[in-house]
Amino acid sequence: MSRIHLVETKDRRLFMADLLLADESETIVESYIDDGVFYTIYLKDGHIGVCLFVFPEENTVEIKNIALQEAYRGKGFGKRVIDASCSLFHKTGTKKCSSELLILV
């Protein structure tokens, strides 16, 4: 299985189309686009999606937006992104990685 790469990306608005795959309006995305840490998701040499993480409290990471292009949905890539990001954040001292409904400790 190919390895997922998370690349921190500064120019987030270049990926608005991807962010809108996970949120219903540009207004909503604009309300949080500059918050937290933003990663572009790569598989091999290609970009397959994006994820944005915020830090609602000390030592806690929340997935604010995660979006995969349609061809990569339902194949376990989202879980792999969450696992890879939680591993990354655990190395920096974060105690909890969470989405709205899922907390991975």
Side-chain angles (χ1 to χ4, degrees):
M1 189 174 279
S2 298
R3 189 165 177 229
I4 293 266
H5 297 278
L6 302 178
V7 178
E8 190 169 353
T9 304
K10 299 296 179 201
D11 198 352
R12 300 164 183 209
R13 283 169 180 78
L14 289 175
F15 298 95
M16 181 62 78
D18 286 333
L19 290 163
L20 288 170
L21 294 171
D23 251 320
E24 61 267 8
S25 81
E26 196 167 325
T27 302
I28 292 171
V29 172
E30 281 291 339
S31 74
Y32 64 75
I33 195 168
D34 294 318
D35 297 340
V37 180
F38 183 86
Y39 292 100
T40 306
I41 306 164
Y42 287 92
L43 182 66
K44 298 182 183 176
D45 293 330
H47 147 252
I48 66 166
V50 297
C51 52
L52 189 143
F53 300 93
V54 295
F55 307 89
E57 46 188 76
E58 190 176 349
N59 295 321
T60 301
V61 176
E62 177 183 330
I63 299 166
K64 189 68 175 179
N65 186 309
I66 183 169
L68 293 170
Q69 295 170 3
E70 190 172 342
Y72 299 94
R73 294 183 204 154
K75 299 179 180 175
F77 290 108
K79 181 179 179 350
R80 289 172 57 196
V81 169
I82 291 169
D83 290 346
S85 60
C86 283
S87 177
L88 176 75
F89 289 121
H90 278 261
K91 288 178 186 173
T92 63
T94 301
K95 303 288 186 240
K96 286 195 250 179
C97 283
S98 66
S99 67
E100 286 184 331
L101 302 175
L102 175 68
I103 296 178
L104 303 173
V105 179

